[in-house]
Amino acid sequence: MSLVRSLSQSENVKEREEIKKELEKNFKECDQNMDRLIDTHHEDLSSLIQAFSKIYTRITGSREKIKDIKGKLRSCKSLLHCKRDELKRLYIEGVEQKQMLALLEQIDTVKEVPQKLHGYIAKKHYLHASEDLVNALTILEGDLSGVEALRELRSELQDKKEQLHKKLVEELQKHLYIKSTSDAVRTFCRQGSARYSARGLSATKTSGVSASIMGGSVFGSVLGTPSRLDVSGLGRNTYQKYLGSPARARTLEVPTAAHNKDENVYEDLTETNPEENSHHYMALLVESLNILGRLPDAIEEVRSQMESEIFAIVGRAAQHVLDSAYLQDQSQQQNTPRLLLDLLQLTFIQFRCVVQAHGCVLGSLRKVADSASQPYGDLQLYTMAEVWSKIQSVLQEVLRGYLDMEHASTNQNENTAKFSETDALDVGLYFAKKKPVRPKKSMFRFEASRHAISMDSYLREQRQFGSLNNLDQSTKLQETKHELVCAPSAKNITIVFMPLSKFIKEIEDGLGCQCTLHEFITDYIKKVFIQEVQCDMAQRVDSAARSMDALKFVTDHEMLKTLNLQRPVLQSACSIEQCVEELKGLSQGLPLYAEQFLTMVVAMLKDYKETCGAAYRDIVHPESEDKRVISATWAKDEDLNRFLKSLPNWLNLVQQQDNKVSDHEETPEDIRARNVKESEKLIEMVGDTTLPKYEILSDVRQLKTLAHLQEGLSWLAQRTFYMATCLPTASLRTPSLSENVMDIPPVSENIVQSLVAISREFEELGELCLLVLHLEVRVHCFYYLIPLAYQDNFFCSAEDVDTDVQVLKLNRDISAIEETMSVSLQTKKFKYIFEGLGHLIASILINSAEYIKRINEFGIKKL
């Protein structure tokens, strides 16, 4: 059109010709392109035209057919309208027949359900059994509810539903508390021989209470498990063996603690042992209970029976421990605290398994609770905190029995007046000296009567199994009653404290807060056990050190061998050392309370030091102040004491005590030279004064008591100093015994310094006793020999040259002292007492010669 418009508007002929030529050229090119395209697409165009022709033909045929069908439908409609009543009747009869066939099929299916249930339950395929039972009851209570002939079957299935519910709960309880712990019990029984043989070796080592507390056990590897229990979801690979064809497998989602909605479990009817995988089996049980619609009841039953089932675990564990000890023929192991340690370790392992099983069950329950199709509304689940709470409650009841807490509480009430809060903080107040209380004598005693015997039996039984204050308490104690693996005792806490502390830490890590068991143990130790220890130690100190005959009893030969001593020591010192070792063992068994026990040690040793000091003063100051024993006065004099300790014989004694003895054999001249200064000093102090008898210790028994006191104090000083070196401190400045440091938390520097100071005080008092014995022998020489110079019997005849009476008395006295000291003191101390005595006697006689008034040759012979 634009070209035509250009031609019509243009007036130039030439321009028109050019436009015309260009138009012809374009038409020619268009014709050529058309020809080329027709040649190229000739076949496609032909097929397209043919297809269009066919389609058009079919559409035309279809229109004719539709028109024919419409006509036929109109004629059919008119015919059906004529017979509509008969057709309606036939339709209704067909529907009724179909419904009757369906009901008959349902009846046949329902009649087979009891037999199927029996087979499923026998093979423990509870998921299939629950679904079939619920489906059957739904049918019977729905379309077949009006069939009277099925009433008995309906009742039977309802009973079976109740029985299945009980069976499911029973199976769930069994897997929660028995199946889950069976591996731990089998391991315990299998390794029993190794455990007891290892104990037999460790029993030969007498390392105090700590050896029995920290000894190895068969559960060492098991207790090495992480403190946080892994109750995460189970992997899909665990359940691959349950996968099968849809015809014989039903699925449900795995209810794990991780709550993964994508994981499924299967109940495979071909599985011969569905209980092999306990977690999967418990998930099936939960789903089965959910299908039955009894999940809230099951949760309540699990919650209500939780405590009794945990008590049953403890009872079975106790029986296993006793059976293992009996089968190993370890009669010496039975009824020992070590069995209590095994009991707790076995129960701890089982409790961990129970907690893990409850975690799996709770995962399944949460899955059901979060399901949109669950009919329970807000399903009330129990929590892991409740499980841990029940475990702690059971452990508290068990510990009450084994720690004899009822008897302890009785003693605590009796001793309330003795122990106040202030007394508990200041232990020294309790160990301070008290006036002796005269025991009251009763006119009549009834302990042998029938009533008293029966009452004693009753009280003993009550102490063993707890006080039956009310019906609930009685029921609970009846559940806890099991054969005790060892005798109830408060000291059992030292055996169980360390494993209990580890288990408490696991509980607190799981709960994220402090648990009640921790508070229970802490209150018991602080308010009961420590006070009992204080009372017991005070009584033992009273009986050992404060009786009238405490200084008369020494250790026997067997005890000397046990203590590796050469000479006997006071029985009271041995008893005090045993108390110290027990408190040391308690510090290692209860490391968190080590400082309190060590404070008791300091108070006890201070008290015993005061007792020994009082005993020493009673010996050396038996009468008034102006009638003192001269040897004690000299030994107490600081200048003379320093002088005596600077002499070679004392230094030689110190070297012998430090095992620095020279191999050089001494001659009499060396011994005489070493004692010259001492003899001269003593002669200078006495002069020509005649000593009264009250200034010497004439009773050899008193000297023997001093010797025993010296040995006991010296030994106790060494033991106290060694204990001080074994205590860890914050600075850890320990002497050369650092490898023997006790495994307890660092104690305060004040306790270590107090022990070192007490050790030094023991040593100083022992040295004072030794100096008194050393000087007393020499004072006896002055007492008997100085009066000889003032006698006139040195001018005598040949018939009067017999030994003087004073010399005979001195000889008997020295011999008696020597005989006593030889069995009471160590050889090096005995040597220190009697060494240089001959030189002193000679010096006394020589210095006394100037006081002899008359003497002849027979007197010289007599002298």
Side-chain angles (χ1 to χ4, degrees):
M1 294 301 293
S2 62
L3 292 177
V4 173
R5 190 180 300 111
S6 298
L7 288 175
S8 61
Q9 293 177 358
S10 177
E11 297 178 357
N12 191 349
V13 178
K14 186 178 179 180
E15 184 177 355
R16 288 180 178 181
E17 288 294 332
E18 290 178 358
I19 292 173
K20 180 180 177 182
K21 289 180 181 180
E22 184 179 358
L23 182 61
E24 290 176 351
K25 182 181 178 181
N26 291 336
F27 272 111
K28 186 177 180 180
E29 289 179 358
C30 182
D31 291 339
Q32 289 176 356
N33 290 334
M34 288 289 290
D35 293 339
R36 187 175 66 256
L37 290 173
I38 290 171
D39 292 339
T40 303
H41 299 286
H42 176 73
E43 295 180 358
D44 294 338
L45 184 60
S46 298
S47 61
L48 179 62
I49 293 171
Q50 292 175 2
F52 179 77
S53 177
K54 290 180 181 180
I55 293 172
Y56 179 77
T57 304
R58 289 180 181 178
I59 290 174
T60 304
S62 297
R63 286 177 177 177
E64 292 294 333
K65 289 180 181 180
I66 290 172
K67 186 177 180 180
D68 184 54
I69 289 171
K70 285 182 177 180
K72 290 180 180 181
L73 286 174
R74 289 189 189 99
S75 63
C76 182
K77 181 179 180 181
S78 62
L79 294 174
L80 289 174
H81 183 70
C82 296
K83 297 184 178 182
R84 62 180 182 276
D85 295 334
E86 184 179 356
L87 290 174
K88 182 178 180 181
R89 180 180 58 80
L90 292 175
Y91 171 76
I92 293 173
E93 289 179 357
V95 173
E96 290 177 352
Q97 292 295 331
K98 186 177 180 180
Q99 185 66 21
M100 289 178 64
L101 289 175
L103 292 176
L104 289 174
E105 290 179 0
Q106 290 179 356
I107 291 173
D108 292 337
T109 302
V110 169
K111 289 172 63 178
E112 295 175 357
V113 167
Q115 186 177 359
K116 287 184 178 180
L117 285 178
H118 180 74
Y120 287 149
I121 294 175
K123 295 180 181 180
K124 297 184 182 297
H125 294 143
Y126 295 112
L127 185 60
H128 285 73
S130 300
E131 289 188 349
D132 288 350
L133 179 58
V134 171
N135 292 335
L137 286 173
T138 302
I139 293 172
L140 290 173
E141 294 173 358
D143 297 337
L144 302 178
S145 60
V147 181
E148 293 296 327
L150 298 176
R151 180 182 299 176
E152 293 183 3
L153 180 60
R154 187 184 301 111
S155 300
E156 180 183 356
L157 291 181
Q158 288 175 349
D159 293 340
K160 286 188 176 296
K161 180 180 179 181
E162 189 65 29
Q163 294 173 6
L164 182 59
H165 166 72
K166 294 181 180 179
K167 183 67 175 178
L168 290 173
V169 174
E170 180 183 343
E171 287 289 320
L172 186 60
Q173 299 276 29
K174 182 175 72 173
H175 275 262
L176 281 174
Y177 304 107
I178 299 177
K179 290 290 185 180
S180 62
T181 62
S182 57
D183 290 339
V185 176
R186 281 196 296 269
T187 302
F188 175 83
C189 296
R190 186 167 56 249
Q191 298 182 356
S193 58
R195 179 177 65 259
Y196 287 112
S197 61
R199 274 195 203 150
L201 294 176
S202 63
T204 58
K205 300 178 181 180
T206 57
S207 58
V209 180
S210 60
S212 63
I213 297 173
M214 306 303 295
S217 177
V218 67
F219 303 104
S221 60
V222 182
L223 289 175
T225 56
S227 60
R228 292 186 179 271
L229 298 177
D230 184 12
V231 292
S232 58
L234 303 176
R236 181 185 297 273
N237 294 332
T238 308
Y239 304 103
Q240 289 298 319
K241 62 180 179 178
Y242 294 101
L243 297 176
S245 61
R248 59 185 177 87
R250 302 178 186 178
T251 67
L252 58 90
E253 294 183 359
V254 177
T256 63
H259 198 46
N260 192 340
K261 296 182 179 181
D262 297 330
E263 295 185 347
N264 297 326
V265 293
Y266 296 82
E267 184 178 61
D268 193 348
L269 294 179
T270 62
E271 182 66 37
T272 58
N273 185 15
E275 297 181 272
E276 183 177 0
N277 189 320
S278 183
H279 289 179
H280 172 265
Y281 186 73
M282 287 188 292
L284 291 175
L285 293 175
V286 171
E287 183 63 20
S288 300
L289 288 166
N290 181 35
I291 292 172
L292 291 178
R294 301 293 300 275
L295 203 53
D297 297 337
I299 293 174
E300 189 59 33
E301 288 187 46
V302 171
R303 180 186 282 115
S304 62
Q305 296 181 15
M306 191 180 298
E307 187 169 357
S308 61
E309 290 291 344
I310 296 174
F311 273 126
I313 288 177
V314 178
R316 290 192 297 270
Q319 192 60 47
H320 281 298
V321 169
L322 291 174
D323 292 345
S324 297
Y326 178 77
L327 291 175
Q328 296 302 323
D329 195 20
Q330 297 289 333
S331 58
Q332 70 276 12
Q333 296 286 348
Q334 297 189 24
N335 201 26
T336 61
R338 291 293 304 179
L339 297 183
L340 176 58
L341 179 61
D342 281 345
L343 171 63
L344 284 186
Q345 289 174 332
L346 179 57
T347 53
F348 290 163
I349 297 171
Q350 295 185 78
F351 288 162
R352 295 185 185 102
C353 298
V354 168
V355 169
Q356 189 171 5
H358 274 287
C360 177
V361 171
L362 280 174
S364 302
L365 293 174
R366 292 191 190 101
K367 176 60 183 170
V368 174
D370 295 343
S371 176
S373 59
Q374 59 98 0
Y376 310 110
D378 187 12
L379 187 62
Q380 297 296 324
L381 305 180
Y382 67 93
T383 62
M384 292 304 299
E386 290 184 58
V387 179
W388 282 119
S389 177
K390 296 299 183 183
I391 289 175
Q392 294 176 75
S393 176
V394 170
L395 283 176
Q396 290 178 25
E397 290 297 328
V398 172
L399 290 174
R400 280 191 180 94
Y402 282 103
L403 298 180
D404 199 13
M405 291 190 65
E406 183 189 358
H407 186 259
S409 61
T410 303
N411 290 341
Q412 184 180 6
N413 293 333
E414 293 176 354
N415 297 327
T416 302
K418 298 180 181 179
F419 293 102
S420 62
E421 294 295 333
T422 306
D423 295 335
L425 296 175
D426 188 3
V427 184
L429 293 178
Y430 186 81
F431 287 105
K433 287 188 175 182
K434 304 177 181 65
K435 294 182 179 180
V437 179
R438 182 174 299 176
K440 297 180 180 180
K441 295 184 179 180
S442 58
M443 298 181 63
F444 305 99
R445 297 194 305 176
F446 300 95
E447 65 270 15
S449 65
R450 178 178 300 177
H451 174 74
I453 294 174
S454 60
M455 182 59 67
D456 289 342
S457 302
Y458 171 76
L459 293 176
R460 191 181 305 111
E461 182 179 356
Q462 296 308 303
R463 285 195 299 270
Q464 181 176 1
F465 299 115
S467 176
L468 307 180
N469 296 326
N470 51 49
L471 185 58
D472 295 336
Q473 183 77 2
S474 175
T475 303
K476 180 179 291 187
L477 291 174
Q478 186 67 24
E479 293 173 348
T480 64
K481 188 180 295 184
H482 61 269
E483 187 174 358
L484 298 178
V485 298
C486 69
S489 173
K491 293 183 179 180
N492 288 336
I493 188 65
T494 60
I495 301 293
V496 304
F497 180 76
M498 294 304 293
L500 265 178
S501 298
K502 294 179 181 178
F503 190 67
I504 288 172
K505 187 178 184 303
E506 293 182 20
I507 297 176
E508 294 178 345
D509 289 342
L511 296 178
C513 60
Q514 190 176 35
C515 62
T516 57
L517 184 60
H518 185 206
E519 297 175 359
F520 172 80
I521 294 298
T522 302
D523 290 344
Y524 171 74
I525 293 176
K526 288 183 177 180
K527 298 179 180 179
V528 178
F529 181 71
I530 291 180
Q531 290 190 7
E532 281 199 4
V533 171
Q534 290 175 351
C535 181
D536 179 58
M537 292 300 168
Q539 291 175 354
R540 293 172 64 176
V541 169
D542 286 337
S543 62
R546 292 174 180 167
S547 62
M548 298 298 294
D549 299 329
L551 300 179
K552 296 182 181 180
F553 297 106
V554 294
T555 54
D556 54 15
H557 187 65
E558 294 296 329
M559 184 61 71
L560 289 180
K561 286 185 177 180
T562 304
L563 299 176
N564 194 22
L565 296 176
Q566 299 177 356
R567 293 294 185 270
V569 296
L570 290 175
Q571 184 65 43
S572 60
C574 184
S575 299
I576 293 297
E577 199 275 338
Q578 289 177 354
C579 293
V580 171
E581 284 297 318
E582 289 186 16
L583 291 173
K584 180 180 175 182
L586 291 176
S587 301
Q588 291 176 314
L590 306 175
L592 299 180
Y593 307 92
E595 193 147 339
Q596 299 185 44
F597 293 119
L598 293 176
T599 303
M600 292 186 203
V601 170
V602 173
M604 183 187 304
L605 292 175
K606 284 183 178 180
D607 184 55
Y608 185 69
K609 186 259 299 181
E610 294 296 332
T611 302
C612 293
Y616 168 78
R617 289 189 295 272
D618 290 342
I619 293 174
V620 299
H621 304 302
E623 297 181 7
S624 61
E625 291 292 327
D626 50 341
K627 292 184 178 181
R628 295 181 177 180
V629 175
I630 191 171
S631 59
T633 304
W634 287 353
K636 193 174 181 180
D637 184 83
E638 294 183 0
D639 294 333
L640 183 59
N641 187 295
R642 187 166 48 252
F643 170 76
L644 292 175
K645 290 184 178 181
S646 66
L647 294 177
N649 52 359
W650 180 268
L651 299 177
N652 186 34
L653 173 64
V654 173
Q655 289 180 353
Q656 291 181 9
Q657 290 179 345
D658 296 337
N659 297 322
K660 298 179 181 179
V661 183
S662 175
D663 296 333
H664 175 67
E665 185 176 355
E666 295 181 323
T667 62
E669 289 74 13
D670 296 334
I671 297 175
R672 185 180 304 110
R674 193 166 62 232
N675 290 275
V676 168
K677 289 184 179 180
E678 181 187 56
S679 300
E680 292 176 353
K681 182 66 174 177
L682 294 180
I683 292 174
E684 178 185 350
M685 293 178 64
V686 176
D688 57 350
T689 305
T690 302
L691 301 177
K693 188 173 182 179
Y694 62 80
E695 289 190 352
I696 67 171
L697 296 175
S698 56
D699 190 352
V700 180
R701 292 175 297 181
Q702 291 180 317
L703 299 178
K704 183 178 180 181
T705 300
L706 277 179
H708 291 321
L709 185 61
Q710 197 283 329
E711 286 290 339
L713 290 172
S714 177
W715 173 69
L716 206 55
Q718 295 176 3
R719 299 292 297 176
T720 305
F721 181 76
Y722 177 80
M723 180 180 179
T725 59
C726 294
L727 293 178
T729 58
S731 59
L732 207 62
R733 292 174 298 179
T734 310
S736 60
L737 300 171
S738 58
E739 66 276 5
N740 296 322
V741 174
M742 294 169 58
D743 188 15
I744 59 175
V747 300
S748 64
E749 294 283 352
N750 293 334
I751 291 180
V752 178
Q753 294 173 1
S754 298
L755 289 173
V756 173
I758 293 172
S759 171
R760 182 57 190 165
E761 290 174 357
F762 279 142
E763 185 178 357
E764 290 176 352
L765 186 56
E767 291 176 352
L768 187 62
C769 292
L770 187 61
L771 286 176
V772 169
L773 292 173
H774 176 82
L775 294 172
E776 187 63 29
V777 175
R778 284 146 181 79
V779 170
H780 279 229
C781 295
F782 285 108
Y783 175 76
Y784 287 107
L785 293 180
I786 289 180
L788 290 177
Y790 298 98
Q791 296 179 5
D792 295 333
N793 52 4
F794 289 104
F795 189 83
C796 57
S797 60
E799 289 80 8
D800 296 332
V801 295
D802 294 336
T803 305
D804 194 271
V805 177
Q806 291 291 100
V807 176
L808 293 177
K809 290 181 179 180
L810 175 62
N811 186 31
R812 286 195 300 269
D813 201 6
I814 296 299
S815 298
I817 296 175
E818 180 182 11
E819 182 180 357
T820 301
M821 295 299 107
S822 63
V823 297
S824 302
L825 292 175
Q826 299 179 32
T827 304
K828 54 190 175 183
K829 299 176 183 177
F830 175 81
K831 179 181 178 182
Y832 171 72
I833 291 176
F834 289 96
E835 186 182 76
L837 196 60
H839 180 268
L840 176 65
I841 292 174
S843 299
I844 293 174
L845 292 176
I846 292 173
N847 284 278
S848 300
E850 60 178 307
Y851 301 107
I852 298 176
K853 297 179 180 179
R854 299 177 62 191
I855 190 171
N856 57 13
E857 58 179 345
F858 298 107
I860 295 173
K861 184 177 180 180
K862 181 178 181 179
L863 183 61

